[in-house]
Amino acid sequence: MKNTNKICCCLPLVLMAIITICSCNYKDTSQMAPETGSFTDPRDGKVYTTARIAEKWIMAENFAYKPVQGNYWVYNNDTNNISLYGYLYDWETAKKVAPEGWHLPSREEWTVLNKSLGLNKVTLNKDSERNTTNFEKLLPGGISGFNAVFGGNCLYNGNLFIQIDTIGKFWSSTGSADGPYLFYVARPNSEFHNKTGIAGVKGHNHPLAGVSVRLMQD
């Protein structure tokens, strides 16, 4: 008669060895440093830091190209704000400012980026999709490499600037009957009356408002 007890005793050891080998080959990408690069806009020579998120290269700085035509503003009309916060563009202008090889992300592309950072099932309001649970990943120094800059908003054709250093809004190329979509990153106590930092995709925005731009590589 075969000694089955020895075989049974060895099985847990074999399984533990397999798990150990698999664990050594597994990389926890949530703790890895972001993959970064750079892009130089040939039109004005400005260099932008870029980051690879959800298999897409996106600018890790607010866009600061001064177009020949269109509507755009500097927060509080203070040119010292350009270097950090970039320009605030209305929607039609934002769709036209990208250099060759880059584009304004669509609603779907922002949603994919958002999902890649982790979601919960909280809805901010009827106009918003799910919010990321990992707001910190989007901040400067966060593991996503996005380096969110809170450039605020421009309203009423440059007559009102609000929420700088509190909220960052970034246009999408996707419109709707109720207004275009955008991606937002908001500190606690922003215009959304949120108690914690949040981020997500939001619709029903006024196309004439001044909002920041982050471009994605084609």
Side-chain angles (χ1 to χ4, degrees), residues 91 171 174-182 202-207:
W91 189 52
W171 283 124
T174 306
S176 73
D178 298 308
Y181 287 85
L182 54 73
K202 182 181 181 299
H204 297 215
N205 295 283
H206 201 295

Side-chain angles (χ1 to χ4, degrees), residues 62-77:
N62 287 6
F63 201 49
Y65 175 71
K66 186 176 182 179
V68 177
Q69 296 180 327
N71 296 314
Y72 57 95
W73 303 269
V74 181
Y75 196 94
N76 272 348
N77 299 310

